[in-house]
Amino acid sequence: MISGAGAMWKALPVVQRRMIALLLAAIGLANIAQPFPDLAPLQHGPTIALILAAPWLLRRWPLSNSAVGCIWLFLLLHTLGARWIYSYVPYDDWARAISGHDISSLFGATRNGYDRLVHFAFGALLTLPIAEVVRRHMPSRWSLAFAFAAIGLGSALYEIFEWLLTMIAAGDMADYYNGQQGDMWDAQKDMAMAQIGATLALSALLRRGG
């Protein structure tokens, strides 16, 4: 079994192997002096599982380097957010250190918006990989329509998962994980951001000919 996994790993394009290795390194760095150790497994566990399954998945459903790069970038954004459980990503501190101004004041934001960025990236970056997978079974234009719909379905299922988590998780774990930050319309806004990202990705793919 180990030799089979090694063969699948070696069969991947070198660029894709490097991206997977860099993502694994990023997860390791994100857990140095982890500020939220109790939630780290819940945040990073699915990404590690995906990395372990990646050689088999990419053999079963091969993707272009561009598509894998989109997934890689999305998971890097997620890994950064996961370190600070999204609600506490200190981007304002970083912005002040660089420019002397914070991003929240610039946009009049009253909450940490990093989670919105990642929901937007979910739609913007995963539309191409989904379309590539289903293009083997349907015409190009239909594969793009399927990808757009799949982003909406994936967003809705994730929000349902967060709702279920609030029903079974102990203490404040669900609130910390969900990152609602007191916004009663958080789920709807997250799904809207994902669809906006998918719309822009769809427009770009149609412009270049699918």
Side-chain angles (χ1 to χ4, degrees):
M1 182 177 293
I2 295 176
S3 61
M8 285 190 287
W9 172 256
K10 291 180 179 178
L12 294 177
V14 173
V15 173
Q16 297 184 15
R17 278 188 276 164
R18 287 175 178 170
M19 284 190 280
I20 293 170
L22 285 171
L23 178 59
L24 189 59
I27 294 173
L29 291 172
N31 283 280
I32 295 175
Q34 168 59 243
F36 301 95
D38 292 341
L39 288 167
L42 189 59
Q43 292 282 357
H44 296 288
T47 308
I48 293 173
L50 185 59
I51 289 173
L52 295 176
W56 180 83
L57 291 171
L58 289 170
R59 181 179 180 183
R60 177 66 180 82
W61 295 286
L63 294 171
S64 68
N65 289 338
S66 295
V68 174
C70 286
I71 298 171
W72 176 72
L73 181 55
F74 170 73
L75 290 175
L76 281 179
L77 290 171
H78 164 68
T79 297
L80 176 63
R83 173 176 170 80
W84 283 280
I85 59 171
Y86 282 90
S87 297
Y88 304 100
V89 176
Y91 57 79
D92 279 331
D93 294 339
W94 299 336
R96 276 191 293 268
I98 295 170
S99 66
H101 304 281
D102 63 76
I103 296 172
S104 295
S105 296
L106 181 64
F107 292 99
T110 57
R111 71 186 295 279
N112 191 295
Y114 190 82
D115 62 326
R116 299 271 194 261
L117 170 65
V118 177
H119 280 283
F120 172 83
F122 176 76
L125 295 173
L126 298 192
T127 297
L128 173 61
I130 294 170
E132 278 197 11
V133 170
V134 300
R135 190 172 294 156
R136 301 181 181 97
H137 308 288
M138 60 180 64
S140 177
R141 294 298 176 96
W142 282 108
S143 70
L144 293 175
F146 180 93
F148 181 81
I151 292 296
L153 176 62
S155 296
L157 290 175
Y158 181 76
E159 297 301 332
I160 291 171
F161 163 76
E162 287 193 334
W163 167 64
L164 292 174
L165 184 64
T166 65
M167 307 294 288
I168 62 175
D172 294 328
M173 179 178 287
D175 287 338
Y176 282 129
Y177 180 82
N178 292 349
Q180 191 170 349
Q181 302 180 60
D183 186 352
M184 65 179 295
W185 302 110
D186 181 66
Q188 290 84 349
K189 291 175 182 177
D190 288 348
M191 290 188 288
M193 290 301 293
Q195 289 305 140
I196 291 170
T199 300
L200 294 177
L202 192 66
S203 299
L205 291 170
L206 287 171
R207 206 171 290 124
R208 80 171 197 184

